């Protein structure tokens, strides 16, 4: 417990610590700031973050918080945009312990805990041809708890398939700690008996609402549109049973009425065939008329993009050239249709094209059902938000607002929005959105550092609210949730009768006002202008970060320390404190804790850059900080670079000694001794595991292979990585042949004459140095490596096969000499070997690990495809991204590897006895934490193949 906690929080902490261990009660300044951050432009720092693991723990938190009158906020992924997932009191995170699911009725029903990522739910349903209804743009990162709590929708969801309309039941805990399972008859009966006043009041409110004709009609009108402003008042009209009313009120309530601990969805059919087209129309009016016309056609999504939006992505890779030549009013429509078979799809395309004929497109890209091609079209739409974020000035934030107009007023609404952009000088603002529902997003950049800028934003939002809610009767929040951002405008949009009804509901469910206070119901007209987040300059490598959190789901350190978003948040705070010099004690504490949390435990795998809307690789910042820290070790690093062969031989000797010691002591004693030594030495002694490799023999000289090959056989330069050169198979592993030898045998089998570079043991791509921030030595090693490759390949005449994916990524980012034809294993195998080998698949299930470097090279699908050719089944474990071994961190920081692979063993099918990958060090950790041997896919391919006669 941190010394700065106020007395009431200290007492709460002491009580809750009786049932929740201290490692899940977070009070230190570094992690409370990190874990309290969400994607909105507001900042509140919680006093205590509780990592709740069960419903009983949530009930305990609520009971003790109520005793001390302390507010509680629940949060899942924190990708919310309107400030509904932050707190300055108690923040309860529903994360890794809340990832359970059950599927019933052939996928028509799915039960999900709140920590499940939306895309993962769809991955479970995909083999059954189903998906959940909500499809928010953040579905790869946001979690079910947030999807339901915000009633998030998306591009294809519309109003019919959101959480409200596809809800089949839930488990929910109310503010008094009571648990209701709406699908369980016994639970419903018990709740009816224990909560008579609550249910009677709900029934009374429903009747009063139905009797109020004006209010009823207003509610029905509001929900003909997409609408997430305020509470789901339609529940009072749609249902008679007060328990059904209750659970539907929870949808979109943003944790202000209770905590949903499980959601049951009726799923929707996922079309097996899809096609998309892009058409450019003369102006917004024509586009909106086309939307109205095509609404009756068999379309599943229509996305509108105004001219400014199109201009923001001009010239980017994959963008059509004709975008640059469009007039000032041109507007694009991106249209998707889906069907159960290709014949039906073509019929639908014909119908849609007939409708579109009369609107005389300026340009168009015809319907395509090629996933790669229509993926490029959707990349235009998905690239709009990051395009604005990428060009914003440092210190400003990106704001994305979310409104809905009645479809018949869409064109006029867009024109008036554009006029407001001009009036308030938001020249960079763009408009795009889900046109079928009249749902538009507009994105602009905002500086909150001066009173003048805050006033500009305030005046702009006042006018937007009048325009959307009053003039056109639309929704101020169509799918992003009310939050703090729109709470002051709820009454303006809904009117006093509806707002008073919402206040009564809040009082009924949360009489003490402790559940997420300030969200949805907030009497402070300035609430949306308070606690504004500052984004001060931290480092040019990360200053474009908008703190969206999309990176977090792929971070291997997420279960151990902090994520890329959180690293950036903290580094911004550290840099601000260093410039400000107002709180040296806080600065010293943050710097001390950041060393492990932010620097040491970062895997530097770069996967965050693949999920980041603006392409930030937070690992680059980590490397820069490591380099600054390691400047005092330059002499040591230079010695290692100059004597790399000696270092390799020493490593080989060490592995041989460790293997011999293992043989004498046995596995159990060896594990205990090295674990104790690792702990006592503070990580200086690397930890041994049963998966530790033995020493690999030196690679045989060239005359020992290539026997029997014709003189005109194709040549390939084989470059074993330094890990492959020194690390042999683990003791007890069935595959006893070193990777280098097995690779040569496979290349020979395919008819390739193998060339081994001279002075091999001196060669390294520099990755071991780069990962430690030793940039100078890393570059020196890479230049030596490239020189040797040029010589061995006859200045690039022969292709080069490298057996380890991270080495290839490192070399290609070097940058690589353009003459060199460098291939990582999967790329070379697919291009050159498969056509030369006859493959007989084995009747086995093979676990597949796609390394982070393979993903960054864009070759992720190649490994799965290769295993599918070689075996009965390729099994890819869920949510295992980077393994966290991270070069040698699997030895020096084994907890990172353990955290990244914590769910691996439990996922493996019973018949899976082997795993494959393309990195020797990754395979050490994978073998240790899975309980099955992982090795290069080369072993599998060699085992199932023979030369084509």
């Amino acid at each position: 417990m941190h010394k700065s906690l106020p007395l009431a929080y200290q007492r709460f902490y002491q009580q809750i610590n009786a049932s929740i261990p201290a490692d899940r009660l977070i009070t230190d300044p570094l992690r409370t700031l990190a874990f309290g951050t969400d994607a909105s432009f507001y900042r509140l720092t919680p006093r205590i973050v509780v990592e709740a693991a069960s419903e009983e723990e949530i009930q305990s938190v609520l009971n003790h918080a109520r005793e001390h009158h302390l507010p509680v906020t629940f949060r899942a992924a924190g990708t919310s945009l309107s400030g509904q997932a932050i707190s300055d009191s108690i923040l309860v995170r529903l994360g890794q312990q809340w990832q359970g699911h059950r599927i019933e009725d052939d996928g028509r029903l799915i039960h999900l805990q709140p920590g499940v990522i939306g895309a993962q739910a769809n991955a479970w349903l995909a083999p059954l041809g189903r998906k959940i209804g909500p499809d928010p743009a953040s579905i790869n990162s946001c979690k079910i708890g947030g999807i339901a709590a915000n009633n998030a929708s998306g591009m294809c969801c519309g109003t019919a398939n959101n959480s409200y309309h596809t809800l089949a039941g839930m488990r929910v805990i109310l503010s008094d700690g009571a648990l209701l399972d709406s699908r369980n008859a016994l639970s419903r009966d018990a709740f009816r008996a224990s909560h008579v006043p609550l249910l009677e009041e709900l029934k009374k409110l429903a009747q009063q609402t139905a009797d109020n004709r004006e209010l009823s009609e207003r509610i029905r009108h509001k929900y003909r549109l997409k609408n997430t402003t305020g509470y789901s008042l339609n529940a009072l009209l749609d249902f008679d049973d007060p328990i059904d009313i209750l659970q539907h009120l929870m949808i979109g309530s943003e944790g202000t009425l209770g905590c949903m601990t499980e959601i049951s969805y009726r799923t929707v059919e996922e079309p097996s065939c899809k096609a998309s087209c892009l058409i450019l129309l003369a102006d917004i009016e024509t586009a909106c008329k086309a939307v109205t016309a095509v609404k009756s056609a068999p379309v599943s999504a229509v996305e509108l993009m105004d001219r400014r939006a199109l201009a923001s992505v001009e010239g980017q890779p994959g963008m059509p050239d004709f975008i640059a030549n469009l007039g000032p009013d041109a507007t694009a429509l991106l249209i998707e249709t889906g069907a159960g078979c290709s014949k039906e799809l073509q019929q639908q395309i014909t119908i849609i094209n007939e409708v579109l004929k009369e609107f005389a497109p300026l340009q168009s890209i015809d319907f395509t059902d090629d996933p790669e091609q229509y993926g490029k079209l959707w990349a235009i739409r998905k690239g709009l938000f990051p395009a604005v974020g990428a060009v914003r000035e440092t210190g400003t934030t990106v704001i994305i607002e979310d409104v809905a107009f009645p479809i018949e007023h869409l064109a006029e609404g867009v024109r008036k929005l554009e006029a407001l952009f001009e009036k308030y000088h938001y020249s960079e603002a763009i408009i795009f959105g889900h046109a079928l529902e009249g749902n538009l997003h507009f994105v602009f950049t905002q500086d909150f550092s001066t009173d003048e800028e805050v006033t500009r934003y305030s005046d702009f939002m006042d006018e937007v609210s009048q325009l959307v809610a009053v003039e056109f009767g639309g929704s101020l929040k169509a799918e992003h949730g009310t939050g703090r951002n729109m709470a002051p405008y709820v009454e303006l949009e809904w009117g006093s009768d509806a707002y008073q009804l919402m206040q009564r509901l809040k009082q009924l469910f949360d009489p003490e006002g402790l559940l997420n206070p300030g969200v949805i119901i907030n009497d402070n007209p300035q609430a949306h202008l308070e606690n504004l987040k500052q984004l001060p300059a931290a480092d040019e490598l990360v200053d474009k970060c908008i703190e969206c959190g999309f990176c977090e789901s792929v971070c291997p350190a997420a279960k151990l320390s902090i994520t890329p978003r959180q690293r950036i948040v903290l580094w911004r705070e550290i840099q601000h404190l260093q410039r400000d010099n107002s709180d040296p004690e806080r600065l010293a504490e943050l710097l001390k804790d950041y060393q492990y949390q932010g620097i040491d435990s970062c895997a530097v795998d770069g996967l965050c850059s693949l999920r980041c809307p603006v392409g930030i690789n937070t690992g680059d910042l980590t490397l820069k900080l490591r380099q600054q820290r390691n400047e005092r070790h330059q002499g040591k690093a230079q010695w290692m670079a100059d004597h790399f062969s000696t270092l390799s031989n020493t490593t080989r000797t060490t592995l041989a000694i460790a293997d011999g010691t293992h043989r004498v002591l046995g596995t159990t004693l060896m594990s205990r001794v090295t674990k104790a030594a690792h702990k006592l030495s503070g990580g200086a002694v690397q930890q041994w595991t049963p998966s530790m490799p033995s020493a690999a023999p030196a690679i045989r000289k060239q005359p020992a292979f290539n026997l029997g090959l014709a003189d005109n056989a194709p040549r390939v330069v084989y470059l074993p990585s330094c890990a492959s050169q020194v690390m042999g198979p683990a003791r007890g592993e069935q595959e006893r042949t070193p990777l280098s030898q097995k690779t040569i045998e496979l290349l020979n089998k395919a008819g390739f004459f193998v060339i081994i570079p001279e002075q091999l043991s001196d060669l390294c791509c520099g990755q071991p140095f780069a990962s430690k921030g030793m940039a100078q030595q890393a570059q020196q090693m890479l230049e030596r490596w490239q020189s040797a490759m040029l010589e061995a390949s006859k200045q690039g005449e022969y292709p080069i096969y490298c057996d380890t994916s991270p080495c290839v990524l490192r070399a290609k980012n070097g940058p690589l000499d353009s003459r060199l034809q460098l291939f990582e294993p999967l790329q070379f195998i697919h291009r050159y070997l498969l056509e030369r080998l006859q493959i007989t698949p084995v009747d086995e299930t093979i676990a597949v690990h796609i390394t982070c470097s393979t993903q960054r090279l864009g070759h992720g699908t190649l490994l799965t495809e290769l295993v599918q050719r070689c075996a009965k089944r390729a099994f890819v474990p869920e949510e295992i991204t980077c393994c966290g071994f991270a070069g040698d961190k699997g030895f020096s920081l084994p907890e990172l590897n353990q955290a990244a692979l914590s769910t691996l063993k439990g996922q493996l099918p019973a018949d899976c006895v082997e795993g494959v990958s393309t990195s020797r060090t990754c395979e050490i950790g994978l073998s240790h934490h899975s309980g099955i041997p992982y090795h290069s896919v080369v072993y599998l391919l060699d085992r199932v193949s023979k030369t084509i006669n």
Side-chain angles (χ1 to χ4, degrees), residues 896-941:
L896 175 59
N897 184 226
Q898 181 179 3
L901 300 179
S902 60
T903 62
L904 175 58
K905 189 172 185 178
Q907 293 186 51
L908 295 176
D911 64 342
C912 183
V913 295
E914 177 186 5
V916 297
S917 189
T918 53
S919 172
R920 184 66 190 96
T921 52
C922 295
E923 292 149 15
I924 298 170
L926 290 161
S927 299
H928 178 54
H929 292 290
S930 68
I932 64 172
Y934 273 76
H935 40 240
S936 171
V937 71
V938 165
Y939 289 94
L940 174 64
L941 179 59

Side-chain angles (χ1 to χ4, degrees), residues 6-17:
L7 184 59
Y9 289 94
Q10 290 182 34
R11 291 171 176 168
F12 169 82
Y13 182 100
Q14 290 164 352
Q15 289 175 320
I16 208 72
N17 191 208

Side-chain angles (χ1 to χ4, degrees), residues 103-117:
I103 296 175
E104 297 178 7
D105 193 17
D106 295 325
R108 292 178 178 82
L109 184 66
I110 188 168
H111 310 284
L112 297 163
Q113 288 189 319
V116 172
I117 292 175

Side-chain angles (χ1 to χ4, degrees), residues 265-526:
Y265 283 123
R266 294 183 297 274
T267 63
V268 300
E269 188 174 357
E270 170 72 316
S272 56
C273 299
K274 296 180 183 180
S276 295
C277 75
L278 180 74
I279 66 170
L280 279 301
L281 300 165
D283 50 46
I284 192 70
E285 288 80 6
T286 305
C288 290
K289 289 177 183 177
V291 171
T292 303
V294 85
K295 192 174 177 69
S296 60
V299 295
S300 54
V302 178
E303 293 292 299
L304 179 146
M305 294 169 277
D306 75 351
R307 182 65 185 93
R308 297 187 195 202
L310 294 171
S312 71
V313 293
E314 278 181 21
Q316 292 189 13
M319 299 301 109
D321 293 338
F322 59 71
I323 288 180
N325 300 317
L326 296 172
D329 296 320
T331 304
L333 295 179
L334 176 58
I335 301 173
E336 179 176 280
T337 184
C341 65
S342 57
K343 181 179 179 181
E344 182 183 358
L345 182 69
Q346 291 304 316
Q347 292 172 343
Q348 292 178 185
I349 290 172
T350 300
I351 293 170
I352 298 167
N353 282 334
E354 281 297 315
V355 173
L356 293 174
K357 267 184 183 178
E358 64 178 281
F359 297 99
L362 302 174
Q363 293 278 358
S364 67
I365 297 177
D366 294 338
F367 272 105
T368 173
D369 59 0
D370 180 346
E372 182 177 352
Q373 294 305 315
Y374 67 65
K376 292 179 180 179
L377 297 181
W378 282 96
I380 300 174
R381 160 64 176 83
K382 293 175 182 178
L384 297 178
F385 179 44
V388 175
V391 298
R392 69 179 177 85
E393 292 184 14
T394 299
T396 65
T397 190
V398 178
I399 296 178
I400 177 169
E401 285 297 350
D402 163 47
V403 301
F405 292 102
I407 189 71
E408 63 271 20
H409 298 303
L410 183 60
E412 187 180 2
V414 171
R415 285 299 191 201
K416 291 195 173 184
L417 267 180
E418 291 177 331
L420 288 179
F421 294 155
E422 295 294 336
K423 178 178 180 179
Y424 288 98
H425 308 293
Y426 290 112
S427 58
E428 79 291 350
I430 64 173
I431 295 176
F432 59 92
H434 319 315
L436 282 178
E437 312 298 334
N439 176 197
L440 297 178
H441 303 310
F442 53 97
V443 181
F444 58 99
T445 62
Q446 178 67 52
D447 181 5
F448 288 125
S449 64
T450 67
D451 292 342
E452 291 78 10
E453 279 295 293
V454 173
T455 298
R456 177 171 73 123
Y457 171 74
S458 175
D459 292 345
F460 172 68
M461 288 307 300
D462 284 347
E463 288 212 43
V464 168
S465 299
Q466 285 288 334
L467 172 69
V468 176
V470 179
E471 183 175 346
F472 289 108
S475 305
L476 291 172
K477 285 293 184 183
E479 58 181 6
H480 290 171
T482 311
R484 285 173 167 75
N485 186 21
M486 209 54 68
Y489 298 104
V490 174
E491 185 172 7
L492 174 73
E493 175 174 334
W494 276 96
S496 59
D497 285 355
Y499 189 65
Q500 289 173 17
L501 178 56
M502 292 181 190
Q503 289 177 311
R504 290 173 67 185
L505 289 168
K506 173 64 174 175
Q507 175 67 24
L508 180 62
F509 280 90
D510 182 24
E512 296 184 56
L514 298 180
L515 295 184
N516 212 3
V519 170
I520 297 183
I521 302 298
N522 194 323
D523 295 332
N524 177 4
Q526 300 297 306

Side-chain angles (χ1 to χ4, degrees), residues 663-675:
R663 186 172 62 249
V664 173
L665 295 182
T667 298
T668 302
L669 184 56
M670 184 75 170
S671 296
R672 288 177 181 172
V673 169
T674 57
K675 185 176 182 180

Side-chain angles (χ1 to χ4, degrees), residues 827-845:
Q827 189 184 22
F828 189 87
I829 288 169
H830 277 269
R831 181 173 297 189
Y832 292 112
L833 298 192
L834 291 182
E835 65 183 19
R836 295 168 169 266
L837 298 171
Q838 180 179 328
I839 296 174
T840 304
V842 291
D843 188 20
E844 296 176 9
T845 296

Side-chain angles (χ1 to χ4, degrees), residues 64 540 700:
H64 290 301
E540 60 182 10
R700 296 176 299 173

